[in-house]
Amino acid sequence: MRKAFVIASILLLVSFALQFVFAAVGGFTKPAGEGAYALHSVNGMAVIPVLTLLTALFAALAKAPGRIIGLAALPIGLVVVQALLAMLANASTDAAGVSTPLGLTIAGLHAVNGIVAVHVVVGVVRAARQLDRPELVAAAPVTVREGEPA
């Protein structure tokens, strides 16, 4: 199960990386129609949640510490926040449907939350790898500089 945890967490990280690519595809599609962000939406609302649930399940089956299982499940909450931020950003337009400073600020928070989610998943991948191969972490040399406490 530890290998499955590693593989699922790596697939989740790849899906998050693709999420940024799909956002760029939507942002640079000309003319920008309703389907410009379709890949971004499907990946964010279907693929990432499924991979997150699988990663958390494999973490539990691999008998990972509770902190790591919680960390593996955290992207679900961040996806919910992402959806709320996107809805608020889209709803924060003026009467003519033009973006407002508030809406653009909320859209910026959507991007920041995505970056936070990637960092969480990087932590999950590291934890999964460490759980799968603890001897590699224990064997890593530690460099102590002269004058620093050991």
Side-chain angles (χ1 to χ4, degrees):
M1 278 301 125
R2 290 180 176 188
K3 289 279 186 219
F5 179 33
V6 171
I7 292 168
S9 66
I10 290 171
L11 288 174
L12 181 60
L13 183 58
V14 168
S15 185
F16 267 102
L18 287 173
Q19 189 67 348
F20 284 91
V21 172
F22 296 153
V25 167
F28 289 103
T29 297
K30 302 294 182 221
E34 288 294 317
Y37 288 96
L39 290 172
H40 183 73
S41 295
V42 169
N43 191 53
M45 299 304 289
V47 176
I48 287 175
V50 167
L51 286 173
T52 300
L53 291 174
L54 285 173
T55 301
L57 174 67
F58 289 139
L61 292 174
K63 296 183 171 59
R67 181 184 67 80
I68 295 174
I69 297 169
L71 192 66
L74 181 58
I76 286 288
L78 294 172
V79 166
V80 170
V81 171
Q82 281 294 82
L84 291 173
L85 288 170
M87 286 188 289
L88 285 172
N90 288 331
S92 298
T93 57
D94 63 13
V98 176
S99 298
T100 63
L102 175 63
L104 294 172
T105 302
I106 294 169
L109 292 175
H110 178 81
V112 170
N113 188 58
I115 293 168
V116 169
V118 168
H119 283 281
V120 167
V121 176
V122 166
V124 172
V125 170
R126 286 182 178 159
R129 285 183 169 165
Q130 183 177 354
L131 188 66
D132 187 43
R133 298 222 148 168
E135 69 278 358
L136 293 181
V137 175
V142 177
T143 305
V144 179
R145 294 187 186 121
E146 190 175 321
E148 289 184 358

